Amino acid sequence: MKDMTYPPAEDFVGHAHVDADRYAEMYKQSVTDPDAFWGAAARERLDWIEPFTRVKDTNFTLGEVSVKWFEDGVMNVAHNCIDRHLPARADQTAILFEADDPETPALHITYGELHEKVCRLSNVLLAQGVMRGDRVIIYMPMIPEAAYAMLACARIGAIHSVVFAGFSPDALANRVNDCGAKVVITADHAPRGGRRTPLKANTDAALLHCSDKVRCLVVKHTGDQISWIDGRDVDVKAMMEQVAPDCPIRPMNAEDPLFILYTSGSTGKPKGVVHSSAGYLLYAAMTQQYTFDYHDGDVFWCGADVGWVTGHTYIVYGPLANGATTLMFEGVPTWPDAGRFWQVIEKHKVNQFYTAPTAIRALMGQGTGFVEGYDLSSLKVLGTVGEPINPEAWNWYNDNIGKGRLPIVDTWWQTETGGHMITPLPGATATKPGSATLPFFGVQPVVLDPQSGAEITETACEGVLAIKDSWPGQMRTVWGDHERFEKTYFSDYKGYYFAGDGCRRDGDGYYWITGRVDDVINVSGHRMGTAEVESALVAHAKVAEAAVVGYPHEVKGQGIYAYVTLMNGEEPSDALQKELETWVRTEIGPIAKPDLIQWAPGLPKTRSGKIMRRILRKIAENDYGALGDISTLADPSVVEDLIENRKNKG
Ligand code: 6R9
């Protein structure tokens, strides 16, 4: 079957930063002469206190892995995100804040105000003895203070580590201890979807397991009652009033760490991914501008949480480095109802909107009634991130939100990569639903044979996705464990950065991410992406969501085990099970027919919406003893339900 292709609209191309020819030309330079390409970009896009003399100094050889960019340059990230914009943009909105409760008036924080807030918070941190290189944990709601805190750290040279507000006290304590943080910045409560997470109480519980030297800075956001430990706890807003409104920037080396962000791998405890100052910021700025075709004056909305890399790069650092207006949303897509996203887009005349397929599917399940009636005509570009997008979700997004006229950028990247790696550029790339399309500037993807590790040179092929050479946004190390960095990303396939994803490259050189390679299953010797089967299942009108894993099968090696969540109002039945089996057979082929279907009222998801397949695999294997840590799940109780149902299947 020929893939559907959507070329960029002519009127769009006319105004875009980059068209197809320009992309080809720039891409070529970026990989043939990275020093010239990135050197020019870094001089043009960033302000330097001391110019760099060396651009790229990187080595992917196991045992010697080292990634350095603009090494001898001196700069400051907060200066680049705020101060240098002041002459032209002091009165322009930097952060547009939309609260959880739609009745709360939005805040328009100008670059001038942002400067003052960040300076004041910097002075509060300095007063607490936070110095260059110290670690600061940020455990906050999605409120402007979270961004102030990140930028205040950057201003004084402290390294921040944002911990998603949905994480448990245990997870928080582990992170405080792993990075040896001096301070935790939190808030009283985090309102979300009309409910409140007790962040201060969680922090109190976490700090019982940490050094008693750790200070707790509290933003009183909701004003609810909280407990207070004199001498340890600090009222941030009150302190900010008492300190000076200006704070000099700290000159930092390009390679000084900007932040640590913990991310879970397939094994072991979460890794502290370390990002640099200059390389990261440059990559964030450049991808935000090109991938979303951001223009001066646009209102940009990345719907992620600042607790994830997507929030770091595309709510805070990328947009602010570009002098953009970035929307920060405290709420959830489904509260007060499933029209909230569209209401916010109408209200603030959002131009670029970026979300995850899981959110699209959740809204799709609620019907189009919640979209109708909102004026979405301000939108110019739509984006997705986080997982492969199935054609049904893509079509729904395209038809109902894009009204068939907007480019959709499906951006493949990772916490480790800092910014977009494989993505369409809206004025340059014809898109194909489900494909992240082509590499960003400087990114050299390769497809490797998973067994031999050899690079596959045929255009159309399938294998594991790896990257041949460094790009400025690449992570530099794992905090405190460089060996783990080398082992995780550079040891399976020598000489390459191995992303952990499988992919297919089609005859046009387009990349199709098939999911994490640990999610690829082998059925009777056929390799199959679990995403493929899931995509087929959710294409059925009665299916809201599906997760597919492999499980040991006597004859086939691995069988296909499908967890299926039905649309509201649909009832499970034997007849429906048969119907779905037949459906998948016809969608993909007999080989993809699920061997077992389990009805799942809910799926175990991380709070960022990723399905925890590790848990589903264990349940499918009837191995309930080794479920591992389920504390990071949005709703741990779904696991018990799934186990009960699994047992009933024998
Ligand atoms: C940015 C982010 C990274 C993993 C990655 C891959 C999956 C992300 C994707 C995608 C297919 C896309 N992923 N974007 N898969 N298409 N457009 O999500 O970072 O949380 O570290 O996850 O997410 O499997 O390896 P992170």
Coordinates of all heavy atoms in Angstrom, one line a residue, residues 263 308-310 354 384-389 410-416 422 434 436 499-501 513-516 608 610, ligand 1:
T263 N 15.7 10.1 34.1 CA 14.8 9.4 33.1 C 15.0 7.9 33.3 O 16.1 7.5 33.7 CB 15.1 9.8 31.7 OG1 14.1 9.2 30.8 CG2 16.5 9.4 31.2
W308 N 9.2 17.2 32.4 CA 9.8 16.3 31.3 C 10.7 17.2 30.4 O 10.6 18.4 30.4 CB 8.7 15.7 30.5 CG 7.6 15.1 31.3 CD1 6.3 15.4 31.4 CD2 7.8 14.0 32.3 NE1 5.7 14.7 32.3 CE2 6.5 13.8 32.8 CE3 8.9 13.2 32.7 CZ2 6.3 12.8 33.8 CZ3 8.6 12.3 33.7 CH2 7.4 12.1 34.2
V309 N 11.5 16.5 29.6 CA 12.4 17.2 28.8 C 11.7 18.1 27.8 O 12.1 19.2 27.5 CB 13.4 16.3 28.0 CG1 12.7 15.5 26.9 CG2 14.6 17.0 27.5
T310 N 10.5 17.7 27.3 CA 9.8 18.5 26.4 C 9.4 19.8 27.0 O 9.5 20.9 26.3 CB 8.5 17.7 25.9 OG1 8.9 16.4 25.5 CG2 7.8 18.4 24.8
Y354 N 1.6 21.9 20.5 CA 2.5 20.7 20.5 C 2.0 19.8 21.7 O 1.9 20.2 22.8 CB 3.9 21.2 20.8 CG 5.0 20.3 20.7 CD1 5.0 19.3 19.8 CD2 6.2 20.4 21.5 CE1 6.1 18.4 19.6 CE2 7.3 19.6 21.4 CZ 7.3 18.6 20.4 OH 8.4 17.8 20.3
T384 N 3.4 16.7 17.4 CA 3.3 15.6 18.4 C 4.6 15.1 18.8 O 5.6 15.3 18.1 CB 2.5 14.4 17.8 OG1 3.3 13.8 16.8 CG2 1.2 14.9 17.2
V385 N 4.7 14.5 19.9 CA 5.9 14.0 20.5 C 5.6 12.9 21.5 O 4.5 12.9 22.1 CB 6.7 15.1 21.2 CG1 5.9 15.7 22.3 CG2 8.0 14.6 21.8
G386 N 6.6 12.0 21.7 CA 6.5 11.0 22.8 C 6.3 9.6 22.4 O 6.8 8.7 23.2
E387 N 5.7 9.3 21.3 CA 5.4 8.0 20.9 C 5.0 8.0 19.4 O 4.7 9.1 18.9 CB 4.3 7.3 21.8 CG 3.1 8.2 21.8 CD 1.9 7.7 22.6 OE1 1.7 6.5 22.6 OE2 1.3 8.5 23.3
P388 N 5.1 6.9 18.8 CA 4.6 6.9 17.4 C 3.1 7.2 17.4 O 2.4 6.9 18.3 CB 4.8 5.4 16.9 CG 5.7 4.8 17.9 CD 5.5 5.5 19.2
I389 N 2.7 8.0 16.4 CA 1.3 8.4 16.3 C 0.6 7.4 15.3 O 1.1 7.2 14.2 CB 1.1 9.9 16.0 CG1 -0.4 10.2 16.0 CG2 1.7 10.3 14.6 CD1 -0.7 11.7 16.1
D410 N 5.6 15.5 13.4 CA 5.8 14.4 14.3 C 7.2 14.3 14.7 O 8.1 13.9 13.9 CB 5.3 13.1 13.6 CG 5.5 11.8 14.4 OD1 6.2 11.9 15.5 OD2 5.1 10.8 13.9
T411 N 7.6 14.7 15.9 CA 9.0 14.9 16.3 C 9.5 13.8 17.1 O 9.1 13.5 18.2 CB 9.1 16.2 17.1 OG1 8.3 16.1 18.3 CG2 8.5 17.4 16.3
W412 N 10.5 13.1 16.5 CA 11.2 12.0 17.3 C 12.4 12.6 18.0 O 13.3 13.1 17.4 CB 11.6 10.8 16.4 CG 12.3 9.8 17.2 CD1 11.8 8.9 18.0 CD2 13.7 9.7 17.4 NE1 12.8 8.2 18.7 CE2 14.0 8.7 18.3 CE3 14.8 10.4 16.8 CZ2 15.3 8.3 18.6 CZ3 16.1 10.0 17.2 CH2 16.3 9.0 18.1
W413 N 12.5 12.4 19.3 CA 13.7 12.7 20.1 C 13.5 12.1 21.4 O 12.6 11.4 21.7 CB 13.8 14.2 20.1 CG 12.7 15.0 20.7 CD1 11.5 15.2 20.3 CD2 12.8 15.9 21.9 NE1 10.8 16.0 21.1 CE2 11.6 16.4 22.1 CE3 13.9 16.2 22.8 CZ2 11.3 17.3 23.2 CZ3 13.6 17.0 23.8 CH2 12.3 17.6 24.0
Q414 N 14.5 12.4 22.3 CA 14.5 11.8 23.6 C 15.1 12.8 24.7 O 15.7 13.8 24.3 CB 15.5 10.6 23.6 CG 15.3 9.6 22.5 CD 16.3 8.6 22.5 OE1 17.5 8.8 22.2 NE2 15.9 7.3 22.7
T415 N 14.9 12.4 26.0 CA 15.5 13.2 27.0 C 17.0 13.4 26.7 O 17.6 14.5 26.9 CB 15.3 12.5 28.4 OG1 13.9 12.3 28.6 CG2 15.9 13.3 29.5
E416 N 17.6 12.3 26.3 CA 19.0 12.3 26.0 C 19.5 13.2 24.9 O 20.6 13.6 24.8 CB 19.5 10.9 25.7 CG 19.3 9.9 26.8 CD 17.9 9.2 26.9 OE1 17.0 9.8 26.4 OE2 17.8 8.1 27.5
I422 N 14.6 13.7 14.6 CA 14.0 13.4 13.3 C 12.6 14.0 13.3 O 11.8 13.8 14.2 CB 13.9 11.9 13.1 CG1 15.3 11.3 13.2 CG2 13.2 11.5 11.8 CD1 15.3 9.8 12.9
G434 N 2.4 9.1 10.7 CA 3.1 8.0 11.4 C 4.6 8.0 11.2 O 5.3 7.3 11.9
A436 N 8.2 10.1 11.4 CA 8.8 11.3 11.9 C 9.6 12.0 10.8 O 10.3 13.0 11.0 CB 9.7 11.0 13.1
A499 N 20.0 4.8 20.3 CA 18.8 5.4 20.9 C 17.9 4.5 21.6 O 17.1 4.9 22.4 CB 18.1 6.2 19.8
G500 N 18.0 3.2 21.4 CA 17.1 2.3 22.0 C 15.8 2.1 21.3 O 14.9 1.4 21.7
D501 N 15.6 2.7 20.1 CA 14.4 2.5 19.3 C 14.7 1.7 18.1 O 15.8 1.7 17.5 CB 13.9 3.9 18.9 CG 13.2 4.6 20.0 OD1 12.2 4.0 20.5 OD2 13.5 5.8 20.3
I513 N 9.5 5.3 13.3 CA 9.9 4.7 14.6 C 9.0 3.6 15.0 O 7.8 3.8 15.0 CB 10.0 5.8 15.7 CG1 10.7 7.1 15.2 CG2 10.6 5.2 17.0 CD1 12.1 6.9 14.8
T514 N 9.5 2.4 15.2 CA 8.6 1.3 15.5 C 8.5 1.1 17.0 O 7.9 0.1 17.5 CB 9.1 0.0 14.8 OG1 10.5 -0.1 15.1 CG2 8.9 0.1 13.4
G515 N 9.1 1.9 17.9 CA 9.0 1.7 19.3 C 10.4 1.3 19.9 O 11.3 0.9 19.1
R516 N 10.4 1.2 21.2 CA 11.7 0.8 21.8 C 12.0 -0.6 21.4 O 11.1 -1.4 21.2 CB 11.5 0.8 23.4 CG 11.1 2.2 23.9 CD 12.2 3.2 23.8 NE 13.4 2.8 24.5 CZ 14.4 3.6 24.8 NH1 14.3 4.9 24.4 NH2 15.4 3.2 25.4
S608 N 3.5 10.9 32.7 CA 3.7 11.6 31.4 C 2.9 10.9 30.3 O 2.9 11.3 29.2 CB 5.1 11.7 31.0 OG 5.7 10.5 30.7
K610 N 3.1 7.7 29.3 CA 3.7 6.5 28.6 C 3.2 5.2 29.3 O 3.3 5.1 30.5 CB 5.2 6.6 28.7 CG 5.8 7.6 27.8 CD 7.2 7.3 27.4 CE 7.7 8.1 26.3 NZ 7.8 9.6 26.7
Ligands
6R9_1 C1 10.8 13.7 23.9 C2 10.5 12.4 24.7 C3 11.9 9.1 24.4 C4 11.3 7.9 23.7 C5 12.0 7.6 22.4 C6 10.9 6.9 21.6 C7 9.6 7.7 22.1 C8 9.4 10.1 21.4 C9 8.6 9.9 19.4 C10 8.8 8.6 19.9 C11 7.9 7.7 18.0 C12 8.0 10.0 18.1 N1 9.3 8.8 21.2 N2 9.0 10.8 20.3 N3 8.5 7.5 19.2 N4 7.7 8.9 17.4 N5 7.7 11.2 17.5 O1 9.5 11.8 24.6 O2 11.6 12.0 25.5 O3 10.5 10.8 27.5 O4 12.9 10.5 26.9 O5 11.1 9.5 25.5 O6 10.0 8.2 23.4 O7 10.7 5.6 22.0 O8 13.1 6.7 22.6 P1 11.5 10.7 26.4

